[in-house]
Amino acid sequence: MSGEEYLFHKTSTDNVYTRKCFGMEVLTSNMIEFCDGFTQLTISAAVSVPSSPSRESFEAHTRAAWLAFRHFTPGIACKAFRLPPPDNSFAFRYTVPLSPEDAEEWVDETVFFTDDVKPLYEKHLELKDGRWWLCSADRYVAELHVSPLESGWQISIIFSHNSTDGRNSFAMMDLFLGFLAAELEERATPVSAIEWGTEVVRLAPPGSFAMSLAEKGVPPDLTTEATASKDSEDAKDKSTSPPAPVPWLYAPIETGGHGEVSQVVKFSRETTSALHAVAKKRGRTITQVVTALSTLAHAEASLRIAAALGKERFEEVARAFSTSTHYLVAWNFMNHRHKLPGGYDSYESPTSAPLSPIDGVALLLSMDAVRKLVKLDDADSVRHKIDEDAFWDDMVQEVVNAWKAIDQSLDGYFARELAGHITYQNFDPSIFHIPALIVSSVGDLGRLGLLTSYLPRVGGQAQTLAVQDVVCGIRVRVPIVMNVLYEYDGRLSCHFFSGGEYMTKEGLGLVTGCFEEWTAAMTR
């Protein structure tokens, strides 16, 4: 298995470059392909434009900015496709425009303006749920959707998740708005002056290849690395290992519904500040605390939902709750971009950063910690016990310990990606058909330096663009409940969603209600 085939290279057609997907790129391609679009990613921003350009003018500026953005970050203009048998690999293809008309054709295929006025979150959910495509469909990995709001414009970018991750979708929005602001201020380089072909040096490799490319100038030798990894795993198998964990799992039940159920918990600045203060006092991060809160909320709500479905269902779920050893947070994400060497950490560098330098891990948390706070009193009674010591010393500590057990170095990142890459070739969609939790922590956008140029200014200061609000999420069609969290403009947002085939709106309301109650209890 040569590492070269995972780097962009020129094909027999001079202006066409391709590379195969690797690691998480393969997994998310399979998830979209075989889990009904699960993980297709949408980010939306409510943007005010004080100069109030006409629709025609704003559309022209937007199209020009999208084109300039494509030259700066050519990965957004790749097509995702699948190689024919017997290879069957998912892959990316980039085609250099041979003329201005070629470039404009790409804009025509990927930019969509509509005139319907809807609230930000309503339109975002409409796009997130309804606009997706298979990674084998030979379609561009990104689309730009623009529509009017009551005040300003909604700008949404939809990505195949094999091309971009959650945190970096915010980076993509930030970069695009920079090009749009330049257009509106009439300081942008004319699109007619773009030198097509010069951008191909910025077609990025898989994130896990960056260390080898920076330090050795070549991609990793995957055959050698895979053999070493297998030997290491064989050695582990022969050593004494603890008993296998028994996660709290049970068969999901279909609701008869269809479509996504979604709810956002957007905390006030006061509650966000209180959450930061209590986390800092305890030496913990917001991600660790919110993961613990999400776990308790999901556990309590799952039991309450089961009780509402009747005695038999409750007994099944409660029995598993009482006898299991671990709570499964099925997927948590690590973004490694800031650690990548050789200029691969920045989209401003000559090499450009990978668009999806992440990997995902599962966390197993002791059910003893959960059961100290979520109680079963009798055959059909569920209650939560407010115990700050048990929350911080047991529940949050479990999250901390689980993360500490994971090798978060670039070596660990590459090892997981390589092991996963081999496994993902034989994808089993049923692994995501479980009633578990996923937590995706994007982070504090201010601390990450994302969208800070577009924070609404006070006192009437001049501003070309202002982002009043921003939302991000993925399409879900499985029983899993996901919480995507990030902080913007001093407010923490937690976006919960699940497949409507397995979760009702009322059921998800129980999850978010429990989440808010637990948060209030731990920040009072």
Side-chain angles (χ1 to χ4, degrees), residues 407-444:
D407 182 354
Q408 299 182 43
S409 69
L410 291 180
D411 286 326
Y413 171 34
F414 176 76
R416 285 188 298 274
E417 281 287 85
L418 179 59
H421 180 76
I422 297 167
T423 304
Y424 303 151
Q425 308 299 322
N426 301 305
F427 178 71
D428 179 4
S430 67
I431 63 173
F432 290 103
H433 282 266
I434 54 175
L437 178 71
I438 290 177
V439 177
S440 178
S441 179
V442 172
D444 183 337

Side-chain angles (χ1 to χ4, degrees), residues 174-175 177-179 181 451-456 463 465-468 488:
D174 185 70
L175 287 168
L177 292 178
F179 286 103
L451 302 178
T452 53
S453 298
Y454 310 106
L455 284 167
Q463 194 170 17
L465 293 174
V467 174
Q468 304 295 335
Y488 179 65

Side-chain angles (χ1 to χ4, degrees), residues 33-345:
E33 196 84 6
F34 299 110
C35 295
D36 200 13
F38 179 29
T39 75
Q40 185 86 351
L41 173 66
T42 302
I43 181 170
S44 302
V47 179
S48 59
V49 186
S51 61
S52 302
S54 66
R55 183 203 191 277
E56 292 73 21
S57 174
F58 190 67
E59 182 171 357
H61 286 309
T62 299
R63 288 172 61 91
W66 187 243
L67 198 55
F69 179 39
R70 179 239 172 104
H71 185 259
F72 185 78
T73 312
I76 67 162
C78 286
K79 281 188 172 182
F81 69 103
R82 196 166 196 179
L83 293 168
D87 189 312
N88 288 322
S89 295
F90 289 100
F92 297 121
R93 182 195 305 111
Y94 181 77
T95 303
V96 178
L98 297 177
S99 66
E101 289 75 22
D102 283 352
E104 286 293 334
E105 183 177 341
W106 169 74
V107 176
D108 289 339
E109 288 190 48
T110 57
V111 176
F112 301 88
F113 265 73
T114 55
D115 294 316
D116 54 323
V117 180
K118 294 182 179 179
L120 172 68
Y121 198 57
E122 180 181 340
K123 183 66 175 180
H124 170 78
L125 294 180
E126 178 185 299
L127 291 170
K128 182 163 74 80
D129 191 45
R131 189 74 181 183
W132 67 281
W133 52 90
L134 299 177
C135 292
S136 61
D138 204 11
R139 285 182 56 168
Y140 290 112
V141 298
E143 290 183 350
L144 179 69
H145 291 254
V146 185
S147 58
L149 296 167
E150 288 291 347
S151 177
W153 296 88
Q154 174 156 338
I155 296 176
S156 299
I157 309 177
I158 304 173
F159 295 99
S160 294
H161 210 317
N162 65 349
S163 67
T164 306
D165 65 84
R167 179 179 292 180
N168 285 298
S169 73
F170 284 88
M172 295 298 100
M173 179 66 78
D174 185 70
L175 287 168
F176 170 68
L177 292 178
F179 286 103
L180 181 56
E183 282 288 334
L184 291 166
E185 294 168 8
E186 299 183 346
R187 55 178 174 83
T189 302
V191 294
S192 59
I194 292 176
E195 295 182 39
W196 293 109
T198 59
E199 75 278 12
V200 296
V201 298
R202 298 172 60 76
L203 288 167
S208 58
F209 280 38
M211 185 167 64
S212 180
L213 290 168
E215 295 179 354
K216 303 175 184 178
V218 294
D221 184 337
L222 300 181
T223 302
T224 301
E225 297 284 359
T227 301
S229 177
K230 184 177 185 303
D231 290 344
S232 175
E233 289 302 315
D234 288 345
K236 286 181 184 178
D237 290 343
K238 293 175 183 177
S239 65
T240 303
S241 57
V246 180
W248 179 34
L249 296 175
Y250 45 90
I253 292 179
E254 294 191 11
T255 64
H258 183 72
E260 181 182 288
V261 290
S262 179
Q263 246 177 293
V264 59
V265 176
K266 187 172 182 178
F267 292 113
S268 66
R269 288 182 176 83
E270 292 74 21
T271 300
T272 301
S273 179
L275 198 53
H276 275 290
V278 70
K280 184 177 180 179
K281 180 181 177 181
R282 299 276 185 162
R284 302 305 181 207
T285 68
I286 291 295
T287 298
Q288 293 164 349
V289 176
V290 171
T291 300
L293 292 168
S294 300
T295 297
L296 294 173
H298 182 249
E300 181 180 348
S302 296
L303 289 164
R304 294 188 184 281
I305 291 168
L309 292 174
K311 182 178 180 181
E312 185 176 344
R313 176 62 171 176
F314 181 76
E315 287 179 349
E316 175 192 359
V317 176
R319 187 183 311 113
F321 177 84
S322 299
T323 59
S324 58
T325 63
H326 287 81
Y327 178 94
L328 175 66
V329 186
W331 221 12
N332 305 261
F333 303 96
M334 280 183 284
N335 191 299
H336 300 277
R337 178 161 69 92
H338 63 288
K339 296 181 282 187
L340 300 182
Y344 289 109
D345 61 334

